[in-house]
Amino acid sequence: MSGPAPISRRPPAPLLPAEDARDGALVFVVTILCFIACLALVSALAANRTAHGWRTELKGSATVVVRPGPNETPDAAAARAADALAGVRGVGEVEALEKEKAEALLEPWLGKDLPEDLAIPRLVTVDLDAKHPASAAAMEAALQAAQVDATVDDHSLWLKDILRAGLLAQSAAIAVAALIVAAAAAVIAFATRAGLQARGDLVSVLHLAGAEDGFIAALFQLRFGRMAAIAGLMGAGAAAIVAGLFRLIGGEAGLMPVLPVAWSDLLPLLACPIAAGAVAAISARTTALSLLKEMT
């Protein structure tokens, strides 16, 4: 006689189901949050680089407004100012702008058809030594010694405004990113709490079997950490595509010349999946441990 037929055994099911109908909506929400956070990070990097470039450019140059004397043409006064500044230590290239260039600078405010008798001051642009730039006082002393009526603008006022604007832009972008991280942590905490409450019977059985709170919390930690990492990957990918399109459409200056995007700005986005997974894992574990203490 043959023995009894062997009983087929199914593999043990996971304590948490592999898929949940609510997971799709959660992944979508976290993906959107990661997308916005990545765009905020790219904006912060672009603002920092732009402010640094403007600061470097303004620090390395100065503008001199020359007013001609009673018996002197504006071009002659500008030429004398350029000669006087060329001998100042810490001054590089000096250029006296022609009348046409000065009018072009005034065109956005006064228009193209300027009156012939309009007294337009001549401008002298000065490139300063990057290591040891000349001070405004030294340039003014040289102009006074040459008896040139002129005003030196070392762009210090503009530097303060640029530094303030750059700092505000970076702070705003960082604040947006921080708020989004907090929102993502709150979403994961809510999902963890809902998942634990929905599986209260299973948690009670696990406790009776001797499972510790840390083991149960680890289940939710791994689940939501992996889910958030996938969402972070998709969000970072979408942000990289959008930022890359801005860069390609606009050429070297980017789609927004005031806030250009560089290819190097996309590299930090690689850390988004890791950061999203870590934030979700910490939030899920903390919430699970807190709720499990209330349930026991």
Side-chain angles (χ1 to χ4, degrees), residues 265-283:
D265 296 339
L266 305 182
L267 293 178
L269 302 186
L270 297 175
C272 181
I274 300 175
V279 170
I282 294 173
S283 177

PDB file of all heavy atoms in Angstrom, residues 265-283:
ATOM      1  N   ASP A 265      24.394  71.266 -11.416  1.00  0.00           N
ATOM      2  CA  ASP A 265      23.328  71.395 -10.424  1.00  0.00           C
ATOM      3  C   ASP A 265      22.489  70.124 -10.312  1.00  0.00           C
ATOM      4  O   ASP A 265      21.759  69.949  -9.323  1.00  0.00           O
ATOM      5  CB  ASP A 265      22.410  72.571 -10.779  1.00  0.00           C
ATOM      6  CG  ASP A 265      23.136  73.899 -10.721  1.00  0.00           C
ATOM      7  OD1 ASP A 265      24.178  73.968 -10.041  1.00  0.00           O
ATOM      8  OD2 ASP A 265      22.681  74.867 -11.351  1.00  0.00           O
ATOM      9  N   LEU A 266      22.577  69.258 -11.312  1.00  0.00           N
ATOM     10  CA  LEU A 266      21.769  68.044 -11.302  1.00  0.00           C
ATOM     11  C   LEU A 266      22.417  66.915 -10.495  1.00  0.00           C
ATOM     12  O   LEU A 266      21.734  65.955 -10.131  1.00  0.00           O
ATOM     13  CB  LEU A 266      21.522  67.555 -12.734  1.00  0.00           C
ATOM     14  CG  LEU A 266      20.900  68.579 -13.692  1.00  0.00           C
ATOM     15  CD1 LEU A 266      20.664  67.937 -15.049  1.00  0.00           C
ATOM     16  CD2 LEU A 266      19.601  69.137 -13.131  1.00  0.00           C
ATOM     17  N   LEU A 267      23.704  67.021 -10.222  1.00  0.00           N
ATOM     18  CA  LEU A 267      24.390  65.938  -9.501  1.00  0.00           C
ATOM     19  C   LEU A 267      23.847  65.716  -8.092  1.00  0.00           C
ATOM     20  O   LEU A 267      23.675  64.564  -7.670  1.00  0.00           O
ATOM     21  CB  LEU A 267      25.893  66.231  -9.459  1.00  0.00           C
ATOM     22  CG  LEU A 267      26.625  66.189 -10.810  1.00  0.00           C
ATOM     23  CD1 LEU A 267      28.092  66.531 -10.635  1.00  0.00           C
ATOM     24  CD2 LEU A 267      26.467  64.819 -11.458  1.00  0.00           C
ATOM     25  N   PRO A 268      23.557  66.782  -7.316  1.00  0.00           N
ATOM     26  CA  PRO A 268      23.016  66.529  -5.965  1.00  0.00           C
ATOM     27  C   PRO A 268      21.678  65.802  -5.954  1.00  0.00           C
ATOM     28  O   PRO A 268      21.291  65.250  -4.921  1.00  0.00           O
ATOM     29  CB  PRO A 268      22.878  67.944  -5.368  1.00  0.00           C
ATOM     30  CG  PRO A 268      23.861  68.770  -6.117  1.00  0.00           C
ATOM     31  CD  PRO A 268      23.848  68.209  -7.506  1.00  0.00           C
ATOM     32  N   LEU A 269      20.973  65.778  -7.085  1.00  0.00           N
ATOM     33  CA  LEU A 269      19.691  65.086  -7.125  1.00  0.00           C
ATOM     34  C   LEU A 269      19.851  63.578  -6.975  1.00  0.00           C
ATOM     35  O   LEU A 269      18.869  62.881  -6.661  1.00  0.00           O
ATOM     36  CB  LEU A 269      18.964  65.401  -8.443  1.00  0.00           C
ATOM     37  CG  LEU A 269      18.676  66.876  -8.737  1.00  0.00           C
ATOM     38  CD1 LEU A 269      17.838  67.006  -9.986  1.00  0.00           C
ATOM     39  CD2 LEU A 269      17.987  67.544  -7.562  1.00  0.00           C
ATOM     40  N   LEU A 270      21.069  63.077  -7.192  1.00  0.00           N
ATOM     41  CA  LEU A 270      21.303  61.640  -7.032  1.00  0.00           C
ATOM     42  C   LEU A 270      21.074  61.186  -5.594  1.00  0.00           C
ATOM     43  O   LEU A 270      20.799  60.008  -5.346  1.00  0.00           O
ATOM     44  CB  LEU A 270      22.722  61.295  -7.476  1.00  0.00           C
ATOM     45  CG  LEU A 270      23.055  61.553  -8.959  1.00  0.00           C
ATOM     46  CD1 LEU A 270      24.538  61.287  -9.223  1.00  0.00           C
ATOM     47  CD2 LEU A 270      22.182  60.688  -9.859  1.00  0.00           C
ATOM     48  N   ALA A 271      21.210  62.113  -4.654  1.00  0.00           N
ATOM     49  CA  ALA A 271      21.027  61.761  -3.243  1.00  0.00           C
ATOM     50  C   ALA A 271      19.564  61.764  -2.820  1.00  0.00           C
ATOM     51  O   ALA A 271      19.262  61.376  -1.683  1.00  0.00           O
ATOM     52  CB  ALA A 271      21.815  62.725  -2.353  1.00  0.00           C
ATOM     53  N   CYS A 272      18.659  62.179  -3.706  1.00  0.00           N
ATOM     54  CA  CYS A 272      17.249  62.282  -3.318  1.00  0.00           C
ATOM     55  C   CYS A 272      16.645  60.937  -2.916  1.00  0.00           C
ATOM     56  O   CYS A 272      15.961  60.857  -1.889  1.00  0.00           O
ATOM     57  CB  CYS A 272      16.448  62.915  -4.450  1.00  0.00           C
ATOM     58  SG  CYS A 272      14.690  63.123  -4.069  1.00  0.00           S
ATOM     59  N   PRO A 273      16.842  59.842  -3.669  1.00  0.00           N
ATOM     60  CA  PRO A 273      16.244  58.565  -3.231  1.00  0.00           C
ATOM     61  C   PRO A 273      16.744  58.119  -1.857  1.00  0.00           C
ATOM     62  O   PRO A 273      15.959  57.621  -1.040  1.00  0.00           O
ATOM     63  CB  PRO A 273      16.678  57.590  -4.338  1.00  0.00           C
ATOM     64  CG  PRO A 273      16.926  58.440  -5.520  1.00  0.00           C
ATOM     65  CD  PRO A 273      17.479  59.719  -4.982  1.00  0.00           C
ATOM     66  N   ILE A 274      18.039  58.308  -1.601  1.00  0.00           N
ATOM     67  CA  ILE A 274      18.586  57.915  -0.300  1.00  0.00           C
ATOM     68  C   ILE A 274      17.995  58.777   0.807  1.00  0.00           C
ATOM     69  O   ILE A 274      17.593  58.275   1.868  1.00  0.00           O
ATOM     70  CB  ILE A 274      20.120  58.020  -0.327  1.00  0.00           C
ATOM     71  CG1 ILE A 274      20.704  57.096  -1.399  1.00  0.00           C
ATOM     72  CG2 ILE A 274      20.707  57.669   1.034  1.00  0.00           C
ATOM     73  CD1 ILE A 274      22.200  57.226  -1.566  1.00  0.00           C
ATOM     74  N   ALA A 275      17.935  60.091   0.567  1.00  0.00           N
ATOM     75  CA  ALA A 275      17.385  60.991   1.585  1.00  0.00           C
ATOM     76  C   ALA A 275      15.905  60.705   1.829  1.00  0.00           C
ATOM     77  O   ALA A 275      15.450  60.674   2.982  1.00  0.00           O
ATOM     78  CB  ALA A 275      17.575  62.441   1.149  1.00  0.00           C
ATOM     79  N   ALA A 276      15.140  60.485   0.763  1.00  0.00           N
ATOM     80  CA  ALA A 276      13.713  60.201   0.928  1.00  0.00           C
ATOM     81  C   ALA A 276      13.500  58.898   1.683  1.00  0.00           C
ATOM     82  O   ALA A 276      12.645  58.810   2.576  1.00  0.00           O
ATOM     83  CB  ALA A 276      13.033  60.143  -0.446  1.00  0.00           C
ATOM     84  N   GLY A 277      14.282  57.874   1.327  1.00  0.00           N
ATOM     85  CA  GLY A 277      14.160  56.603   2.035  1.00  0.00           C
ATOM     86  C   GLY A 277      14.522  56.721   3.502  1.00  0.00           C
ATOM     87  O   GLY A 277      13.857  56.138   4.364  1.00  0.00           O
ATOM     88  N   ALA A 278      15.573  57.491   3.791  1.00  0.00           N
ATOM     89  CA  ALA A 278      15.997  57.653   5.184  1.00  0.00           C
ATOM     90  C   ALA A 278      14.948  58.408   5.996  1.00  0.00           C
ATOM     91  O   ALA A 278      14.616  58.019   7.128  1.00  0.00           O
ATOM     92  CB  ALA A 278      17.338  58.379   5.243  1.00  0.00           C
ATOM     93  N   VAL A 279      14.412  59.499   5.436  1.00  0.00           N
ATOM     94  CA  VAL A 279      13.384  60.266   6.146  1.00  0.00           C
ATOM     95  C   VAL A 279      12.145  59.416   6.393  1.00  0.00           C
ATOM     96  O   VAL A 279      11.564  59.417   7.491  1.00  0.00           O
ATOM     97  CB  VAL A 279      13.020  61.537   5.341  1.00  0.00           C
ATOM     98  CG1 VAL A 279      11.794  62.221   5.941  1.00  0.00           C
ATOM     99  CG2 VAL A 279      14.194  62.504   5.333  1.00  0.00           C
ATOM    100  N   ALA A 280      11.734  58.655   5.389  1.00  0.00           N
ATOM    101  CA  ALA A 280      10.551  57.808   5.546  1.00  0.00           C
ATOM    102  C   ALA A 280      10.787  56.705   6.565  1.00  0.00           C
ATOM    103  O   ALA A 280       9.911  56.397   7.381  1.00  0.00           O
ATOM    104  CB  ALA A 280      10.168  57.215   4.193  1.00  0.00           C
ATOM    105  N   ALA A 281      11.972  56.093   6.531  1.00  0.00           N
ATOM    106  CA  ALA A 281      12.274  55.014   7.473  1.00  0.00           C
ATOM    107  C   ALA A 281      12.275  55.524   8.912  1.00  0.00           C
ATOM    108  O   ALA A 281      11.713  54.886   9.810  1.00  0.00           O
ATOM    109  CB  ALA A 281      13.621  54.383   7.120  1.00  0.00           C
ATOM    110  N   ILE A 282      12.895  56.664   9.126  1.00  0.00           N
ATOM    111  CA  ILE A 282      12.941  57.234  10.481  1.00  0.00           C
ATOM    112  C   ILE A 282      11.539  57.609  10.951  1.00  0.00           C
ATOM    113  O   ILE A 282      11.142  57.332  12.090  1.00  0.00           O
ATOM    114  CB  ILE A 282      13.877  58.456  10.507  1.00  0.00           C
ATOM    115  CG1 ILE A 282      15.324  58.016  10.240  1.00  0.00           C
ATOM    116  CG2 ILE A 282      13.779  59.176  11.840  1.00  0.00           C
ATOM    117  CD1 ILE A 282      16.288  59.170  10.071  1.00  0.00           C
ATOM    118  N   SER A 283      10.767  58.251  10.058  1.00  0.00           N
ATOM    119  CA  SER A 283       9.410  58.652  10.429  1.00  0.00           C
ATOM    120  C   SER A 283       8.537  57.437  10.726  1.00  0.00           C
ATOM    121  O   SER A 283       7.775  57.417  11.707  1.00  0.00           O
ATOM    122  CB  SER A 283       8.795  59.487   9.300  1.00  0.00           C
ATOM    123  OG  SER A 283       7.462  59.835   9.597  1.00  0.00           O
TER     124      SER A 283
END
